[in-house]
């Protein structure tokens, strides 16, 4: 059985693992994502470090290394054109890593990799036309058309997080205003929660006490934890993110008409507190609602590991066919 290493580079962490042909992760490694202000070589060093750690302990040959990157990956599958949360700008990542890693390297967008994994091993099995929405620091997206990952003419398809949904809205790290990820992501959830705590809102008393009045200590997982414990304000904050999520997916359905939307990423840990408001908003906003089939909206089955599983499987496929 051919083994491959998958590396998922997110806004806060670099997760890696040895993955077999059934999508099972046999070993894991992880490191913090370097700050985006640092030189790209620091990110490369981090990747080399986690891959080396895994290869040192591997008991069988690693046939390929797949890297899922949170950014725009060129059609050559070798170059990171732009990464909003990292310092990569036209970065020839495959060439820079080639002599330092060993096995052949395959690079793709992290959401494309997650979509591939969910279609092959997870929630989108059996669907030839599917879309993946990953909610983390920002929003990533992957498109499956006719059973194949759709990357577009220049390799950059699926950057749904940077669709403008509010003209003149919140400034996005990509440089534009009103991007979808400013309203339906982990950053959006934390921004709104911190705003309520900073204002000492009586509605955010539980959140205020959890962080002892320090808004900087608020995180997305904490808001989710408080919501799951029944706090109404935290539930409302997640529902607001879910509503924006559903609005965006309704727009995507009008353009692509998928059979299923798979919602993954760290924020999806909120489960139905996020997904059900998204379904409701989707139904309200869907073009032709009531007269057309509706795509299913489900939570990803593979969780935060979908990206590294998909990156590994795509890399293995690239060398074994």
């Amino acid at each position: 059985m051919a083994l491959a290493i998958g590396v998922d580079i997110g806004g806060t962490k670099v997760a890696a693992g040895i993955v077999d042909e059934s999508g099972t992760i046999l070993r894991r490694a992880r490191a913090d994502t370097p700050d985006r202000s640092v030189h790209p070589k620091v990110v490369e060093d981090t990747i080399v470090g986690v891959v080396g750690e895994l290869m040192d302990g591997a008991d069988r040959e690693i046939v390929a290394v797949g890297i899922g990157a949170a950014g725009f990956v060129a059609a050559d599958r070798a170059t990171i054109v732009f990464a909003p949360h990292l310092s990569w700008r036209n970065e020839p990542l495959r060439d820079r890593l080639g002599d330092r890693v060993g096995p052949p390297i395959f690079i793709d967008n992290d959401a494309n990799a997650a979509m591939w994994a969910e279609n092959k091993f997870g929630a989108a099995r059996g669907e030839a036309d599917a879309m993946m929405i990953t909610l983390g620091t920002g929003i990533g997206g992957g498109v499956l058309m006719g059973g194949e990952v759709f990357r577009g003419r220049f390799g950059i398809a699926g950057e749904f997080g940077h669709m403008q949904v509010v003209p003149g809205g919140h400034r996005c790290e990509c440089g534009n205003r009103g991007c979808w990820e400013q309203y339906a992501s982990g950053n959006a959830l934390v921004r709104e929660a911190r705003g309520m705590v900073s204002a000492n809102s009586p509605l955010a008393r539980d959140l205020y006490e959890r962080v002892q009045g320090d808004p900087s200590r608020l995180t997305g997982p904490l808001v989710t934890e408080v919501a799951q414990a029944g706090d109404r304000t935290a539930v409302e904050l997640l529902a607001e993110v879910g509503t924006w999520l559903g609005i965006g997916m309704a727009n995507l359905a009008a353009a692509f008409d998928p059979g299923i939307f798979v919602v993954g990423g760290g924020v999806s840990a909120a489960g139905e507190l996020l997904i059900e408001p998204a379904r409701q908003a989707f139904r309200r906003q869907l073009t032709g609602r009531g007269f057309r089939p509706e795509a299913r909206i489900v939570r990803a089955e593979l969780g935060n590991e979908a990206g590294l599983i998909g990156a590994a499987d795509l890399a293995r496929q690239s060398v074994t066919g």
Side-chain angles (χ1 to χ4, degrees):
M1 182 177 287
L3 300 182
I5 288 176
V7 183
D8 183 18
I9 306 170
T12 59
K13 70 180 186 303
V14 176
I18 298 175
V19 184
D20 68 17
E21 292 177 1
S22 69
T24 301
I25 301 174
L26 306 179
R27 282 193 67 206
R28 294 172 173 81
R30 126 169 223 168
D32 292 335
T33 302
D35 186 270
R36 63 183 164 185
S37 64
V38 304
H39 191 276
K41 186 178 184 301
V42 178
V43 185
E44 295 162 17
D45 291 343
T46 303
I47 297 169
V48 171
V50 294
V51 170
E53 178 182 339
L54 291 170
M55 292 187 66
D56 286 345
D59 58 1
R60 281 178 282 167
E61 180 187 5
I62 303 297
V63 300
V65 174
I67 297 173
F72 300 177
V73 181
D76 62 6
R77 323 311 313 151
T79 305
I80 309 293
V81 177
F82 175 73
H85 307 292
L86 292 168
S87 57
W88 286 328
R89 303 292 182 266
N90 288 310
E91 185 71 15
L93 186 61
R94 188 174 66 190
D95 290 345
R96 298 219 188 260
L97 293 176
D99 293 336
R100 304 181 65 191
V101 170
I105 297 171
F106 178 93
I107 299 172
D108 209 335
N109 175 267
D110 57 347
N112 286 346
M115 176 75 266
W116 182 260
E118 289 291 343
N119 181 249
K120 193 163 181 181
F121 308 113
R125 283 187 296 260
E127 289 281 358
D129 298 283
M131 303 192 82
M132 180 89 188
I133 310 295
T134 59
L135 306 182
T137 306
I139 293 180
V143 184
L144 197 77
M145 298 179 66
E148 298 293 334
V149 176
F150 175 73
R151 299 184 178 92
R153 168 64 179 83
F154 302 107
I156 305 174
E159 289 296 334
F160 309 136
H162 300 289
M163 299 185 303
Q164 187 183 64
V165 295
V166 180
H170 292 297
R171 176 74 70 180
C172 182
E173 293 177 352
C174 76
N176 292 329
R177 286 187 179 274
C179 291
W180 189 27
E181 70 174 43
Q182 293 303 308
Y183 301 88
S185 68
N187 275 356
L189 177 65
V190 171
R191 183 190 65 234
E192 295 303 310
R194 287 179 176 174
M196 294 189 74
V197 169
S198 294
N200 199 15
S201 168
L203 298 179
R205 178 53 49 189
D206 195 1
L207 287 170
Y208 185 94
E209 292 176 353
R210 291 284 189 115
V211 298
Q212 299 179 324
D214 182 0
S216 68
R217 295 174 59 188
L218 266 175
T219 63
L222 178 58
V223 176
T224 296
E225 178 187 330
V226 174
Q228 290 171 334
D231 180 75
R232 290 179 58 184
T233 297
V235 169
E236 289 176 6
L237 288 168
L238 278 167
E240 184 175 349
V241 170
T243 296
W244 277 109
L245 175 61
I247 291 169
M249 288 192 296
N251 290 336
L252 292 171
F256 292 96
D257 191 31
I260 188 172
F261 286 96
V262 179
V263 181
V267 185
S268 70
E272 290 301 303
L273 291 173
L274 173 80
I275 301 296
E276 185 53 33
R279 292 191 188 107
Q280 294 174 10
F282 179 80
R283 294 184 188 113
R284 288 194 302 269
Q285 298 294 322
L286 185 64
T287 303
R289 53 193 173 276
F291 298 96
R292 59 173 288 175
E294 291 185 12
R296 291 185 294 134
I297 300 173
V298 301
R299 182 182 172 189
E301 291 182 6
L302 302 177
N304 290 333
E305 294 177 331
L308 76 86
I309 293 171
D313 199 71
L314 285 166
R316 176 174 29 246
Q317 178 181 268
S318 72
V319 298
T320 64

